[in-house]
């Protein structure tokens, strides 16, 4: 392990819309930010083939291209973007304290401020055909990708409020929405279940799971299996929306930063401040409600401004 310690004014952990936007603002404020991208440069959005709902792209773009644009913009103002993974942290609880970080289990960094933008990872079923067709008709975000299935038939997998919300959202766009529920009941709130049941073009299939997603390059259907009778049925659809939840990438901060029961970091009021001074959280790591690129970018801006004001108050 290296004995050399690098001192940084602003360390950004994680890339994606939140991290890169924070970097742009921090760099313009002369905070000389250093970003460690994590193992997936650009975050979740790099798994999205088409992005049509981010301002500034009248013809749309794809997720990887958009992240490349944001990275170039951040670097233009002096952000140092590094590929690497933060493997441990020792965060100070004192105002003006120094936060110690180790990257790739070898590099020592001391940071005056840290912006955490490690995001959240969508949960998938884990079957081979589903993984192969992510971006080719398999999605974990109806509000991101639903528009591309206008007038088509789709499947939603899940039983909670998220699945019910995704299905009702898609029902306004798609011809038919079929919800596949693994058990014989939905976990969604009664209000959401009533909304689903009242929507004419939504059908709920209970005790039903996906056995296989059909299609070579794009989704052409699903093979559903009734887990009670073991009977299989092929359903012709062009889109499969997995709505079984997200896991925030916050394991590194367990026992250190305040988080809710599912692991989302808790920020104070309308700010991005965590419970420790000089440590801020932006994007999906602290947002389980919206989870959009544009809202993540907004909180990235907020985090950089909060960090700048924090440092200014110490002078």
């Amino acid at each position: 392990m290296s004995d050399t310690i690098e001192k940084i004014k602003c360390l950004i952990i994680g890339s994606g819309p939140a991290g890169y936007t924070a970097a742009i603002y921090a760099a313009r404020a002369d905070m000389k930010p250093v970003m460690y991208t994590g193992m997936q440069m650009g975050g979740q959005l790099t798994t999205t083939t088409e992005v049509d709902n981010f301002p500034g792209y009248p013809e749309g773009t794809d997720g990887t291209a958009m992240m490349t644009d944001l990275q170039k913009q951040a670097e233009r103002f002096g952000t140092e973007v590094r590929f690497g993974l933060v493997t441990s942290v020792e965060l100070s609880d004192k105002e003006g304290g120094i936060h110690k970080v180790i990257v790739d289990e070898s590099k020592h960094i001391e940071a005056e401020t840290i912006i955490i933008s490690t995001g959240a990872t969508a949960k998938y079923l884990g079957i081979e055909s589903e993984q192969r067709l992510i971006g080719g008709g398999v999605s974990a975000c109806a509000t991101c990708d639903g528009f591309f299935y206008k007038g088509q038939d789709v499947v939603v997998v899940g039983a909670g409020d998220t699945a019910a919300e995704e299905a009702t959202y898609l029902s306004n766009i798609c011809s038919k929405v079929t919800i596949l529920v693994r058990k014989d009941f939905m976990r969604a709130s009664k209000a959401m279940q009533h909304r689903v049941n009242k929507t004419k073009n939504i059908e709920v299939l209970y005790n039903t799971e996906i056995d296989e997603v059909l299609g070579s390059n794009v989704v052409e259907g699903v093979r559903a299996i009734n887990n009670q009778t073991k009977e299989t049925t092929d359903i012709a659809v062009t889109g499969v929306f997995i709505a079984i939840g997200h896991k925030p990438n916050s394991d590194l901060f367990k026992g250190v930063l305040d988080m809710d029961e599912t692991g989302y970091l808790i920020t104070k009021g309308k700010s991005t401040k965590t419970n420790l001074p000089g440590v801020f959280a932006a994007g999906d790591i602290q947002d389980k409600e919206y989870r959009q690129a544009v809202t993540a970018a907004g909180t990235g801006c907020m985090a950089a401004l909060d960090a700048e004001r924090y440092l200014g108050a110490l002078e």
Side-chain angles (χ1 to χ4, degrees), residues 196-208:
V196 165
N197 293 332
K198 287 193 300 183
T199 306
K200 292 181 179 179
N201 62 337
I202 295 180
E203 180 183 7
V204 183
L205 300 181
Y206 294 98
N207 297 313
T208 304

Side-chain angles (χ1 to χ4, degrees), residues 177-193:
V177 180
T178 303
I179 305 178
L180 305 185
V181 178
R182 188 164 54 91
K183 297 185 178 181
D184 61 357
F185 63 93
M186 289 191 75
R187 293 182 291 101
S189 65
K190 293 299 182 185
M192 287 306 303
Q193 290 188 54

Side-chain angles (χ1 to χ4, degrees), residues 141-153:
C141 181
T143 51
C144 306
D145 300 326
F147 176 81
F148 303 115
Y149 301 91
K150 189 173 183 179
Q152 301 173 46
D153 293 354

Side-chain angles (χ1 to χ4, degrees), residues 135-239:
V138 174
S139 170
C141 181
T143 51
C144 306
D145 300 326
F147 176 81
F148 303 115
Y149 301 91
K150 189 173 183 179
Q152 301 173 46
D153 293 354
V154 299
V155 155
V156 172
V157 179
D161 277 350
T162 299
E165 287 170 4
E166 300 257 282
T168 52
Y169 174 84
L170 289 165
S171 70
N172 295 313
I173 301 168
C174 303
S175 293
K176 182 180 180 182
V177 180
T178 303
I179 305 178
L180 305 185
V181 178
R182 188 164 54 91
K183 297 185 178 181
D184 61 357
F185 63 93
M186 289 191 75
R187 293 182 291 101
S189 65
K190 293 299 182 185
M192 287 306 303
Q193 290 188 54
H194 289 320
R195 192 183 303 177
V196 165
N197 293 332
K198 287 193 300 183
T199 306
K200 292 181 179 179
N201 62 337
I202 295 180
E203 180 183 7
V204 183
L205 300 181
Y206 294 98
N207 297 313
T208 304
E209 303 176 48
I210 288 183
D211 186 51
E212 185 180 358
V213 181
L214 306 175
S216 299
N217 300 312
V218 295
V219 170
E220 297 173 6
V222 298
R223 179 160 297 129
I225 183 168
N226 183 298
N227 53 35
Q228 301 296 304
T229 66
K230 305 306 177 185
E231 180 183 353
T232 60
T233 306
D234 287 359
I235 305 172
V237 294
T238 52

